[in-house]
Amino acid sequence: MHYISTRGHAEAQTFCDILLGGLAPDGGLYLPDHYPQISAAELTAWRKLSYAELAYEVLRRFVTDIPPGDLLSIVKKTYTAQTYPYCRTGRRATDITPLTTLEPGLHLLELSNGPTLAFKDMAMQLLGNLFEYVLEKRGETINILGATSGDTGSAAEYAMRGKKGVRVFMLSPHGKMSAFQRAQMYSLQDANIFNIAVVGMFDDAQDIVKAVSNDAGFKARYKIGAVNSINWARIAAQVVYYFKGYFEATKSNDERVAFAVPSGNFGNICAGHIARMMGLPVERLVLATNENDVLDEFFKTGCYRPRATAETLVTSSPSMDISKASNFERFVFDLVGRDPAIVSRLWQAVDSGGSFDLAGTPHFQSLPGYAFVSGRSTHRDRIDTVRDAWQRYGVMIDTHTADGLKVAREYLQPAVPMIVLETAQAVKFSETIIEALGREPMRPADLEGIENLPQRVEVMAADVRAIKEYIARICG
Ligand SMILES: Cc1ncc(COP(=O)(O)O)c(C=O)c1O
Ligand SMILES: N[C@@H](CCOP(=O)(O)O)C(=O)O
């Protein structure tokens, strides 16, 4: 399996190279040169597998440059009940991603039982182990530069803390994350973790990551790597739970399902798109945004119009306060028939602060073939949905999952199970949960008082040069 850039001006690479390389040198994102196709017989066999076994089966289609035995060990070491201990609802001891049925035909896929209580742990724990393996084999080190709106940062730091040969520089939007999210990241005192709070929004932080990565000299000199979903390994790992969710919600492979996905950077739902392209029987991919509804606008109108920082709202589902969705480029690559010249042209407009409109083009006419539908949710919807889920089902959901559930309800179809992806646990956003329910969310005992721990963070302007100088100073 080789990986090609969405912009078409980068050499094809193998998995381990793009794992360490992150963004392609031409500014594009890597994608496999083809999507592996899963046969009906394979799908039947996969139904019986544990999460780790399933992860191995999916990942070995994408990771062809790690010996199978080694890949199996890495996956088995990652997907254990011990690594994902924070299950809220009753589950079998071996479940990594339990499915809770809210009512017939409507399910919640719990993806947030890992160390940082968000779905990012599903891929990030694997990345930590993959980095360790590949770096040791090659005798190399890496300096990861990431951007977070609240959850990627802590997931990456928990996955990489104490790892030999790895430093993490994580940019977060100053003052925009919840108190719990800040505490998760900034209370880490590990010598290889560096938190930088950038004055701006997530998009500013992500722009800095891309700008640094696009400086080939700096990237090579300081061995800059990525853990955001611009790194293909993140997406590949996320494909696995679409298969798992499908098997949990259905009895036979003749059934089709829908997934509702709270979306921001388009990484999670991009993994759903890929699972579908591999042959998973997905009827619909329901994309849910909050008030930052750039993606909803695209799927309804064909116009992709990223907003500037000043137009990006701070909401009560803060991890989705994103107006420039990186992975959307991966989907558009497929939508335009994998033509890198078209993608380059479209993103030339986006990268210079503009937009593009596919309405009326054959590309937009082909959109229904990709099964996407979309909707948006507001603070009021979030409060109502959190309250309704608690009162009706006794299930406490977080504000992002609430966005997903709200929009999922708009697209329910008879005989098509709807699986809402639970992307975080409620305790990460307690202020809004208290507003909705008048009570504190449940919190794992060992995370009691995390907000009172001493914090270590550098506040900096959203300035590429200053961030580069900081990295250079630390790396020596
Ligand atoms: C809790 C939560 N929900 C949803 C999202 C959106 O996911 P994606 O950026 O993959 O679209 C994020 C951030 O990415 C998140 O942290
Ligand atoms: N919501 C994310 C934003 C970054 O997304 P990623 O999936 O590209 O890492 C966060 O919580 O940080």
Side-chain angles (χ1 to χ4, degrees):
M1 167 76 67
H2 278 85
Y3 290 87
I4 52 174
S5 166
T6 49
R7 308 234 180 139
H9 293 291
E11 260 176 52
Q13 302 267 7
T14 61
F15 179 85
C16 292
D17 287 332
I18 63 161
L19 172 75
L20 300 186
L23 203 64
D26 60 359
L29 301 182
Y30 284 114
L31 269 174
D33 55 7
H34 67 280
Y35 293 126
Q37 296 302 299
I38 306 308
S39 68
E42 282 169 321
L43 209 55
T44 302
W46 288 11
R47 193 169 267 283
K48 304 178 197 78
L49 302 181
S50 68
Y51 195 93
E53 291 164 341
L54 180 63
Y56 170 69
E57 286 300 330
V58 172
L59 290 167
R60 76 183 177 84
R61 268 75 183 171
F62 294 111
V63 185
T64 50
D65 55 346
I66 293 181
D70 291 1
L71 182 63
L72 183 61
S73 307
I74 293 168
V75 163
K76 280 194 167 162
K77 172 175 158 187
T78 304
Y79 294 111
T80 66
Q82 290 71 35
T83 310
Y84 298 90
Y86 295 121
C87 188
R88 294 174 299 99
T89 56
R91 66 162 177 184
R92 299 184 300 264
T94 50
D95 280 349
I96 305 291
T97 57
L99 188 87
T100 300
T101 297
L102 299 178
E103 60 185 56
L106 181 61
H107 312 274
L108 201 60
L109 185 64
E110 289 179 40
L111 302 175
S112 309
N113 298 328
T116 69
L117 309 180
F119 76 105
K120 308 285 176 173
D121 291 322
M122 293 308 303
M124 210 63 90
Q125 286 291 317
L126 180 76
L127 251 68
N129 291 329
L130 283 170
F131 274 128
E132 193 172 47
Y133 172 88
V134 176
L135 290 172
E136 197 192 317
K137 284 264 173 238
R138 295 184 175 192
E140 288 179 21
T141 59
I142 196 165
N143 292 305
I144 287 164
L145 177 61
T148 186
S149 54
D151 295 319
T152 290
S154 54
E157 293 179 358
Y158 273 72
M160 310 295 165
R161 59 192 299 204
K163 288 256 189 281
K164 218 173 120 223
V166 181
R167 281 196 198 95
V168 178
F169 296 90
M170 188 55 64
L171 312 181
S172 51
H174 183 46
K176 307 291 191 314
M177 305 185 302
S178 75
F180 190 95
Q181 288 177 313
R182 285 198 299 274
Q184 280 182 307
M185 291 175 60
Y186 304 162
S187 68
L188 294 183
Q189 304 295 335
D190 304 68
N192 69 331
I193 303 294
F194 300 89
N195 282 303
I196 303 167
V198 166
V199 180
M201 295 295 287
F202 167 78
D203 293 319
D204 300 304
Q206 184 164 245
D207 283 348
I208 294 172
V209 168
K210 288 186 175 174
V212 171
S213 207
N214 283 332
D215 178 342
F218 188 89
K219 185 176 178 180
R221 174 155 185 209
Y222 293 103
K223 302 178 168 50
I224 301 294
V227 281
N228 279 104
S229 53
I230 55 177
N231 190 323
W232 166 258
R234 280 274 311 281
I235 306 292
Q238 290 177 208
V239 168
V240 178
Y241 54 69
Y242 282 88
F243 281 90
K244 192 67 185 165
Y246 173 77
F247 295 133
E248 293 288 328
T250 59
K251 291 205 164 49
S252 100
N253 297 342
D254 297 332
E255 293 179 66
R256 300 179 72 74
V257 300
F259 288 97
V261 189
S263 294
N265 218 11
F266 205 81
N268 203 0
I269 203 159
C270 185
H273 160 67
I274 284 150
R276 186 176 169 276
M277 298 297 276
M278 291 168 72
L280 189 68
V282 176
E283 180 70 18
R284 271 178 172 172
L285 290 165
V286 181
L287 178 143
T289 70
N290 63 18
E291 293 89 334
N292 295 299
D293 56 1
V294 175
L295 293 167
D296 180 39
E297 181 173 87
F298 172 80
F299 284 100
K300 293 221 165 94
T301 68
C303 180
Y304 181 59
R305 190 172 59 86
R307 320 279 197 268
T309 298
E311 284 179 87
T312 303
L313 303 168
V314 177
T315 75
S316 47
S317 44
S319 303
M320 283 159 48
D321 292 345
I322 297 175
S323 291
K324 243 188 251 174
S326 277
N327 285 283
F328 184 57
E329 179 168 343
R330 286 192 164 112
F331 172 66
V332 170
F333 183 67
D334 284 342
L335 184 67
V336 301
R338 300 201 133 205
D339 184 337
I342 300 180
V343 174
S344 299
R345 185 160 43 75
L346 297 177
W347 258 266
Q348 214 167 13
V350 169
D351 289 343
S352 53
S355 58
F356 61 78
D357 192 353
L358 298 185
T361 66
H363 311 306
F364 195 60
Q365 278 150 18
S366 70
L367 188 62
Y370 291 88
F372 277 85
V373 289
S374 70
R376 78 193 284 274
S377 167
T378 63
H379 180 72
R380 186 69 261 158
D381 296 322
R382 230 163 274 140
I383 296 289
D384 290 347
T385 309
V386 168
R387 192 175 290 150
D388 182 65
W390 180 243
Q391 289 173 349
R392 236 199 289 189
Y393 315 118
V395 174
M396 195 182 284
I397 57 171
D398 97 290
T399 52
H400 305 72
T401 309
D403 290 332
L405 180 54
K406 185 263 175 184
V407 178
R409 287 194 174 287
E410 294 163 13
Y411 289 104
L412 291 174
Q413 292 169 290
V416 179
M418 173 70 76
I419 303 169
V420 179
L421 301 193
E422 186 199 47
T423 54
Q425 289 205 22
V427 67
K428 298 191 92 164
F429 310 98
S430 55
E431 209 178 294
T432 313
I433 302 302
I434 293 168
E435 184 184 338
L437 304 181
R439 57 173 287 169
E440 285 278 348
M442 285 142 333
R443 171 187 293 245
D446 54 344
L447 297 175
E448 228 28 274
I450 185 176
E451 293 91 335
N452 303 325
L453 296 172
Q455 299 192 358
R456 191 166 67 96
V457 59
E458 194 88 23
V459 180
M460 293 177 70
D463 175 10
V464 178
R465 207 172 63 184
I467 302 288
K468 278 185 181 168
E469 280 169 8
Y470 179 84
I471 295 172
R473 199 166 61 245
I474 300 289
C475 297

